[in-house]
């Protein structure tokens, strides 16, 4: 993957202004470099998302004449459909979005509800969340002579959400907490989607950028040594201040 990435970067770098006897140059990378990552992101997500351990959820039951609590636990991702990733460049930085993703989750629930006496029930739950839309803003910064992505705001919307709750012998009790536990699970999906962007995709992308060599062959025994010296300026393309030195061996 490194060779393909380097070829793509070299093809998308255009020299804008080079002053005579000046070791600095301006370069710009266009969107095709990020479209490359959009494609490779699918592999990372497909492998890592099913491994995510979802947290247990507990919410209060405030509906009806009594009070109680319900917990959803042992929540596991049983099926995952990788979303479509897109990158956009603007004057504010990078905008990264995904859509058409879907996830199936199964787990267990237990509830206790008290009116005059406590009532307990338990069962299973299946969740389907589809058309998961993730929008992330980010900036590129210079670190160790290479570009790195710094994540900004993250927003998630679930276009379709369906929950199935079964196993209990008290349907009236399930009806009391169905809406509350649905909102809590949906919120967890929102949080996990942003955590995935930060901890899985972003870390993998930045680790890959840090692994790129700073000494590149350009043909006929010529090599270029380069370094990203300062944070890029953003337009539809982003400009990078690069130090370079060409060496013939």
């Amino acid at each position: 993957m490194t060779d393909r990435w380097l070829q793509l970067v070299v093809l998308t770098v255009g020299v804008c202004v080079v002053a005579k006897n000046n070791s600095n140059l301006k370069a710009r990378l266009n969107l095709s470099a990020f479209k490359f990552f959009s494609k490779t992101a699918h592999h990372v997500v497909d492998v890592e998302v099913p491994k995510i351990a979802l947290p247990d959820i507990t919410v209060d039951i405030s509906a009806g004449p009594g009070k109680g609590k319900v917990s959803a636990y042992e929540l596991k991702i049983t099926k995952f459909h990788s979303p479509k990733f897109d990158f956009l460049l603007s004057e504010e930085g990078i905008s990264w979005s995904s859509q058409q993703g879907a996830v199936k989750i199964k787990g267990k629930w237990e509830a206790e509800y008290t009116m005059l006496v406590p009532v307990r029930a338990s069962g299973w739950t299946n969740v389907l969340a589809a058309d998961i839309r993730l929008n992330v803003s980010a900036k590129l910064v210079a670190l160790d002579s290479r570009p790195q992505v710094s994540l900004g705001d993250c927003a998630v919307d679930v276009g379709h959400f369906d929950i199935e709750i079964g196993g209990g012998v008290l349907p009236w009790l399930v009806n009391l907490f169905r809406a509350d536990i649905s909102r809590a699970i949906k919120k967890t999906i929102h949080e996990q989607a942003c955590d995935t962007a930060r901890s899985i995709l972003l870390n993998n992308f930045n680790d890959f950028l840090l692994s790129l060599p700073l000494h590149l062959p350009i043909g006929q025994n010529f090599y270029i040594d380069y370094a990203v010296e300062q944070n890029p300026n953003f337009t539809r393309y982003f400009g990078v201040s690069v130090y370079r030195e060409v060496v013939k061996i």
Side-chain angles (χ1 to χ4, degrees), residues 123-178:
W124 51 265
T125 182
N126 291 323
V127 174
L128 170 64
D131 194 16
I132 302 173
R133 302 176 184 181
L134 176 70
N135 289 283
V136 178
S137 63
K139 293 282 189 180
L140 276 177
V141 297
L143 177 66
D144 295 336
S145 301
R146 296 174 176 87
Q148 288 283 275
V149 178
S150 175
L151 196 64
D153 295 331
C154 179
V156 182
D157 180 57
V158 177
H160 174 79
F161 183 87
D162 182 69
I163 185 169
E164 185 180 11
I165 301 174
V169 295
L170 302 172
W172 62 268
L173 178 58
V174 173
N175 290 335
L176 291 179
F177 66 74
R178 178 185 293 274

Side-chain angles (χ1 to χ4, degrees), residues 1-14 27-41 85-89 94-96 140 147 149 205 208-209 212 234 236-238 240:
M1 185 170 69
T2 300
D3 290 341
R4 186 179 175 188
W5 174 268
L6 290 176
Q7 291 171 6
L8 189 60
V9 169
V10 171
L11 287 173
T12 56
V13 171
R28 66 182 184 180
L29 302 181
N30 66 24
L31 194 57
S32 58
F34 292 97
K35 288 182 178 178
F36 169 77
F37 177 67
S38 296
K39 294 179 181 179
T40 58
F85 294 97
D86 289 305
F87 281 93
L88 295 175
L89 298 179
I94 303 170
S95 175
W96 171 43
L140 276 177
V149 178
F205 192 26
F208 177 65
L209 290 175
L212 295 178
F234 288 87
R236 283 192 311 113
Y237 301 86
F238 68 86
V240 187

